[in-house]
Amino acid sequence: MHHTAEQLEVAEAILHRSAAQTPNPDTADRLDALGDQVTAQAHDIDRRADQLAVPDGGAGQ
């Protein structure tokens, strides 16, 4: 799962780079928003992966 999150972060960087390079402001806004959504998903996947790695599901921490 951590690998998936890392791959999503690569995709996020590509989306933000594409947003910076596009001449269309509406497209740039959409790409940036999508990049932000991908980042949120990557962080959520990382968090869930960390919880799975703890034998008691993270209880008591």
Side-chain angles (χ1 to χ4, degrees):
M1 288 178 74
H2 287 295
H3 178 71
T4 299
E6 290 171 10
Q7 293 298 97
L8 285 171
E9 290 176 5
V10 170
E12 173 259 340
I14 292 168
L15 288 165
H16 285 300
R17 186 171 52 245
S18 295
Q21 293 174 350
T22 187
N24 184 310
D26 291 334
T27 300
D29 289 345
R30 286 193 303 271
L31 288 169
D32 274 330
L34 183 56
D36 292 343
Q37 291 172 2
V38 169
T39 299
Q41 287 296 319
H43 291 170
D44 187 48
I45 289 169
D46 252 346
R47 181 187 52 75
R48 286 184 279 149
D50 289 341
Q51 289 175 343
L52 289 174
V54 178
D56 65 357
Q61 288 192 9

